[in-house]
Each structure stands twice: as C-alpha cells, then as structure tokens.
C-alpha cells in the first residue's frame, strides 16, 4: 500500500512539473479540465479540450476540404 501511494505521488508530481513547463495541456473530455485544475493545480487557461470522435459534418465529397 505504501508503494502505491509513493508511485501515485510521483505520477502526480511528474504531471504537475510537465504541465508547468508546457505551453498547453490537451485533453479529450471536459471533465478532465476540472480534474487537472482541482487535483493537479494546472491553470485552466493552459488546458485545451479537443473532443475525441468523428467530425460533425455530413458525409460527402472531400474535394472542398483538400484546398
């Protein structure tokens, strides 16, 4: 149990340090923003949400997207 706590603490501190030197932190879901702000003390303005999934556009010719 002590090893797990040490490992989790190391992961938490590592994530905080990486976020500190990063210009942005990218997440795929909105709920991660709150977790990163509240648990890891990462400034919200550094966090960017890029949703996971398929674009919400109709299927059709792709020529216009290739310009």
């Amino acid at each position: 149990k002590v090893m797990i706590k040490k490992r989790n603490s190391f992961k938490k501190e590592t994530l905080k340090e990486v976020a500190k030197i990063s210009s942005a932190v990218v997440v795929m879901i909105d709920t991660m923003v709150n977790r990163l702000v509240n648990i890891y003390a990462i400034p919200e303005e550094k966090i960017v949400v890029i949703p996971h999934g398929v674009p919400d556009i109709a299927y059709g010719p792709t020529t216009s997207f290739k310009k």
Side-chain angles (χ1 to χ4, degrees):
K1 191 172 186 178
V2 172
M3 285 299 292
I4 292 172
K5 283 186 179 181
K6 284 184 180 179
R7 191 176 332 135
N8 287 340
S9 177
F10 177 74
K11 286 181 183 179
K12 183 176 180 179
E13 293 307 313
T14 302
L15 180 59
K16 288 169 90 171
E17 288 299 313
V18 169
K20 188 184 296 183
I21 62 173
S22 299
S23 58
V25 177
V26 179
V27 297
M28 294 179 6
I29 55 176
D30 293 321
T31 56
M32 283 304 298
V33 175
N34 289 333
R35 184 177 294 178
L36 292 175
V37 169
N38 296 324
I39 297 173
Y40 297 96
I42 297 172
E44 189 169 353
E45 55 273 3
K46 273 191 148 183
I47 304 170
V48 178
V49 179
I50 300 177
H52 178 69
V54 178
D56 189 20
I57 57 173
Y59 181 75
T62 59
T63 308
S64 64
F65 297 108
K66 294 180 182 179
K67 293 181 182 180

